[in-house]
Amino acid sequence: MAAFPVRIRFGGFLAIVFVFAAAFSGCGDSTVGQAESVVAFAGGAGGPGFFDGSPADPVRFDSSSGVAVTTTGDRFVADTENHVIRKIDASGNVTTFAGSFGVAGSADGTGPAARFNQPSGIVAVGTILYLCDTGNHTIRRISASGVVTTVAGNPGVPGAVDNTFGPGNVLFSAPRGISSNGATLGTILYVADTGNHTIRRVSASGATTTLAGSGTPGFVDDTGTAASFFSPEGITFDGSSIFVADMGNHAIRKVTPVGSVGDVTTLAGDGTPGYIDNTSGASARFSSPASLASIGSDLFVSDTGNHVIRNVNTTNLGFATTLAGSPQIAGFADGTGSLAGFDSPEGITSDGFPSPSLYVADTGNHVVRLVTLGGSVTTVAGNPPRAGSADLQGEAARFRAPAGVAVIGDDVFVADTENHTIRKIDSAGVATTIAGSAGTPGSTDTPPRFRFPGGITALGGDLYVTDSENHTIRKVTTGGLVTTIAGNPGATGSADGSGTTALFNNPQGIVVLGGDLYVADSGNHTIRKVTTGGGVTTLSGSAGIAGATDGPSAVARFRSPLGVAVLGPSLYVADSGNHTIRKVLVPSGTTSTFAGSAGQPGLADNSGASARFSSPDGIAGVGTALYVADRGNHAVRRISTLATVTTFVGNPGAATTRNGDSNNALLNAPTGITGVEGSIYFTDINENVVRKILF
C-alpha cells in the first residue's frame, strides 16, 4: 500500500497531493464489480472542493477570493480555484452561475458555456457583475441572466497598455481588485492591476487609463505615475475617493482623483508588516491586506496575514481597530469579536442595505462568512477543513492530509502526511498515533520523526513507509519502533546501493512482492526495488528522464509515477503525469501501458488505451482486480485483468464528501487506497478523512 506527497501550488496556497499503492495477489478476473456503498470511517469532513446545494448539503468552494451582493440581495462568489462564479440566494442555496467546474479558459458565453481562469475580485453594479479574471489578465462583465462578455484586456496576454478610446489593445497583468462608481449608467470601474502595481480606470466601454502608479513596485505618495504601489489587491470607492489595500506594502492607501490622474497618500500602515491596533495612521500595522469595503466613513479591511477583519476610520487619521477574528491566529469559529476565527480572508463587501452587513470570502477556510458591524460572525455557505491530530473515534478524530493506507488484521494504518505521523485506526474507528509527533517534522529514528510520510505498506506484522521529503524508506513496527533502511535523510538523487549509499528523490508509492519492496520513485521517474535489508536497485525507467515509452527496463519511461500495486506476479503503476496505468514485469522490468493513453487526461470507462484517467494516484490490487484512486476525477476506478475500466464510485462533476450508496456517494481527491475482499479503504486528501467502500 502506498501514498505520498507531491506539492503543487494553487491559488497562492501550498497544497499537497499524495499517492498510494497496495498489494494483494489475485488469480485474474474479467467481470465488472459494483460498489454497494461508501461509509465514513475516521476524520471530520470539510475543505476545498466543489458542490452546489442547500445549506444541508456538503457544499464546497475552493479558495474563493471575492464576493459581491447585487440589489436583489443575492451573493455572488468568485470561486477562484474552481474557475467559476457561484450564486448564494436568500435561502443559502448555492448554484453555479457562470463557468464550468475545474475548467480554466477564456470564453464569452452564457452560464456554463463561459470560461474563466482564477477569477478573484468582483463587484456588483445593480444586477450586473464585473470581475477581475486574474489568470486571463482581463476584466469581465456578467449580466443578470448570466451572459459573460470581456470588457477589456487580451486573454492570456499580460501587459500594461492604456487606450482612452476603447478596449482595443488594452492590457492588464493579473488584476485582482475591482470597484465602481456605483452608477448603472455611465459605469466607471476602478481596478487594482496587481501585477503592474497600478490603479486603472475602466469605462463600461472598455476605455482604460492609469490613475496612479509607476508600474514598478515601491512605496511613494505622489500624483499619477510618480506614485508607487506594491502588488495592490483590494480597492473600493466611497463616492469621492478610492481606497486601496496595498498588499505588498502592508498599508491602506488613498487615491483622490485630480483630473485624469490620482493623488496618492497613505491612510494607515507604513510598509512594515505586523499587527498594531487601536492607533492611527503610520503607527498601525497590517499584514498583507487583500481587500476592503467602504461604509460611510469606515473602511472594513480583510487583513489577510493577520487573519482578522479590521476597521479603519477615514476621518480620524486612519484610526484602526479589529472588528472580528483572533489576531495572527488562523482558525475557524463562528462567534463575536475575537471569539471568531478566520484563515487568510480575502474578498470583502457590504450588502449595501440601510442596516448594512459585510460578506467575507474566508479564503483559507473555503467558506463565505457574514459579519455584522457589531463583529458577530456566522458562516453562510461552505464547509471548512477540519484538520488536526486528535486521537479520537470516528468523525471526532482528526487528520491532516492523510495519504497512504495499509491493513494488518482488523487495523488500518495511515500515513498522516502533514502531521508527520503514522496513525492506527482500529475496527471501531478509534485513531491513535503510533509513531512521530504531530507538527514536528524530522528524520531521526529515536525519537521517531518523519517529514511528509506518504506511502505505506505491510509486510508480515511490520509497516514500511516512504518518508517522502526525507527521501528515505523507513520500517515501522506496530509498536512504534522506527528504523531507516534505505536512503540518506535530506539527500536527493538516484543511486543504487545499500542503506545510506542509496538515494531517492521524493519516493511515493510502496508495495510488497515476494518479500521485497517496490517503490515509485516519483522525482526520479523510476520504479525501484528495495530489499528489507536495504539493498536498492532500479527496476524500470531512467533516473531524471520523464516520458511514456513502453519497452525493456532501460528503455521504459515514466512521468511522476505515484502509486504502485501488485496483482498476480506483476506490478501495476499509477503513472500520474501520463494519466495512465502501466504494467511492469518482475524481475525483468519490461513495461507496457495497461490502461489509458499517455498525455490524454479525461474520464472514459472503456478497455485498455480507450480508457481515460486524470492524475491517477493510489492503486491497489484487491482480490482479482485493480482499484485506482483517480484523484483528478474524484472517483475510484476498477480495472479487470483484461484491462476493462469502470467507475466504481464517484462523480467527476463534484468534489465533496457524501456517503451513501454507490449512485449517490461523492469523493474529493481520493489518494491512498488499499483493501481486502469486500472492503476498500481510501483517503480523501482534500477532506482529511479515511473512508470505506463496501462491495
Side-chain angles (χ1 to χ4, degrees):
M1 294 94 345
F4 79 96
V6 172
R7 285 170 150 173
I8 51 176
R9 278 276 173 193
F10 68 94
F13 293 88
L14 189 62
I16 301 193
V17 176
F18 304 87
V19 168
F20 166 87
F24 290 87
S25 294
C27 58
D29 131 85
S30 61
T31 63
V32 176
Q34 178 64 49
E36 291 181 2
S37 63
V38 180
V39 298
F41 189 50
F50 176 85
F51 192 67
D52 289 336
S54 72
D57 291 321
V59 169
R60 298 289 187 271
F61 298 88
D62 193 347
S63 307
S64 53
S65 59
V67 60
V69 182
T70 63
T71 51
T72 62
D74 292 317
R75 287 71 51 96
F76 291 86
V77 180
D79 195 4
T80 305
E81 290 302 320
N82 282 324
H83 311 291
V84 293
I85 307 302
R86 314 282 288 280
K87 176 182 175 181
I88 308 172
D89 69 16
S91 299
N93 300 306
V94 178
T95 55
T96 299
F97 189 60
S100 181
F101 160 53
V103 183
S106 181
D108 290 342
T110 301
R115 294 290 181 270
F116 304 91
N117 187 352
Q118 295 184 315
S120 56
I122 185 170
V123 67
V125 181
T127 60
I128 305 299
L129 300 170
Y130 294 91
L131 63 96
C132 293
D133 194 2
T134 305
N136 281 322
H137 313 287
T138 55
I139 306 301
R140 312 291 290 279
R141 178 187 189 274
I142 309 178
S143 75
S145 59
V147 177
V148 179
T149 54
T150 301
V151 176
N154 189 349
V157 182
V161 179
D162 288 338
N163 187 333
T164 59
F165 299 103
N169 302 319
V170 170
L171 295 178
F172 299 87
S173 180
R176 291 189 60 86
I178 190 167
S179 186
S180 82
N181 64 352
T184 55
L185 295 176
T187 301
I188 299 298
L189 304 172
Y190 301 102
V191 176
D193 194 2
T194 309
N196 282 322
H197 313 286
T198 57
I199 305 303
R200 313 282 290 276
R201 179 187 186 276
V202 183
S203 73
S205 68
T208 302
T209 59
T210 299
L211 273 179
S214 63
T216 58
F219 192 18
V220 177
D221 288 344
D222 212 317
T223 301
T225 57
S228 60
F229 301 86
F230 186 1
S231 300
E233 287 209 8
I235 190 167
T236 191
F237 181 66
D238 71 354
S240 60
S241 298
I242 301 157
F243 294 91
V244 177
D246 194 3
M247 191 177 202
N249 282 320
H250 313 286
I252 307 303
R253 315 286 293 279
K254 178 180 179 180
V255 182
T256 303
V258 179
S260 61
V261 296
D263 182 57
V264 180
T265 55
T266 300
L267 179 66
D270 75 342
T272 305
Y275 176 79
I276 300 179
D277 211 23
N278 295 304
T279 189
S280 299
S283 298
R285 293 288 183 274
F286 302 85
S287 179
S288 303
S291 184
L292 69 177
S294 174
I295 299 177
S297 60
D298 290 313
L299 299 174
F300 295 91
V301 180
S302 285
D303 193 2
T304 306
N306 282 321
H307 312 290
V308 292
I309 306 302
R310 310 282 291 277
N311 180 315
V312 179
N313 189 274
T314 62
T315 60
N316 188 19
L317 303 175
F319 191 81
T321 57
T322 297
L323 177 66
S326 184
Q328 300 180 314
I329 300 175
F332 176 83
D334 287 340
T336 301
S338 61
L339 297 179
F342 298 87
D343 186 352
S344 306
E346 293 195 12
I348 187 170
T349 192
S350 164
D351 59 16
F353 294 167
S355 298
S357 295
L358 301 165
Y359 288 93
V360 176
D362 191 2
T363 307
N365 279 320
H366 312 284
V367 297
V368 178
R369 317 290 290 278
L370 170 67
V371 184
T372 70
L373 298 191
S376 175
V377 180
T378 54
T379 301
V380 175
N383 288 273
R386 291 177 171 84
S389 59
D391 284 336
L392 293 168
Q393 185 175 19
E395 292 186 8
R398 293 291 180 263
F399 301 87
R400 193 176 299 277
V405 282
V407 174
I408 298 178
D410 293 331
D411 297 324
V412 175
F413 294 86
V414 180
D416 194 2
T417 307
E418 284 197 335
N419 276 324
H420 313 288
T421 57
I422 305 302
R423 312 284 291 280
K424 181 180 88 170
I425 309 171
D426 68 16
S427 58
V430 176
T432 55
T433 301
I434 67 166
S437 178
T440 307
S443 61
T444 56
D445 287 345
T446 306
R449 295 291 183 266
F450 301 87
R451 190 179 301 275
F452 297 103
I456 187 169
T457 193
L459 177 58
D462 295 319
L463 301 163
Y464 290 85
V465 176
T466 55
D467 196 3
S468 300
E469 290 212 354
N470 279 323
H471 312 288
T472 56
I473 310 302
R474 317 284 292 275
K475 177 183 176 180
V476 183
T477 70
T478 55
L481 298 177
V482 178
T483 54
T484 301
I485 66 168
N488 189 352
T492 62
S494 182
D496 291 342
S498 182
T500 57
T501 65
L503 295 177
F504 300 87
N505 186 356
N506 198 22
Q508 310 297 354
I510 185 169
V511 74
V512 173
L513 176 61
D516 294 315
L517 306 167
Y518 292 87
V519 174
D521 193 3
S522 185
N524 281 321
H525 312 290
T526 56
I527 307 302
R528 314 287 291 279
K529 176 184 175 181
V530 184
T531 69
T532 54
V536 179
T537 54
T538 300
L539 176 66
S540 188
S542 181
I545 303 176
T549 307
D550 289 334
S553 171
V555 173
R557 297 291 182 267
F558 301 86
R559 188 178 303 277
S560 302
L562 299 181
V564 58
V566 167
L567 194 63
S570 300
L571 299 176
Y572 293 85
V573 176
D575 195 3
S576 189
N578 282 320
H579 310 287
T580 56
I581 306 302
R582 314 286 292 280
K583 180 178 180 179
V584 182
L585 300 182
V586 179
S588 70
T590 298
T591 300
S592 58
T593 299
F594 189 62
S597 180
Q600 300 292 320
L603 178 76
D605 286 343
N606 216 315
S607 295
S610 297
R612 293 290 182 270
F613 303 87
S614 180
S615 302
D617 282 3
I619 185 169
V622 181
T624 59
L626 297 167
Y627 295 85
V628 179
D630 195 3
R631 176 174 51 86
N633 282 319
H634 309 287
V636 170
R637 315 288 293 282
R638 183 186 189 276
I639 311 176
S640 76
T641 53
L642 298 181
T644 300
V645 180
T646 55
T647 298
F648 200 55
V649 68
N651 183 338
T656 190
T657 287
R658 187 170 70 186
N659 296 314
D661 64 48
S662 61
N663 293 322
N664 292 308
L666 296 172
L667 319 182
N668 191 354
T671 53
I673 192 166
T674 189
V676 294
E677 198 64 57
S679 297
I680 298 288
Y681 297 92
F682 69 97
T683 56
D684 259 348
I685 195 78
N686 283 351
E687 302 272 340
N688 301 298
V689 295
V690 182
R691 301 172 71 189
K692 182 178 181 180
I693 304 173
L694 303 175
F695 69 102

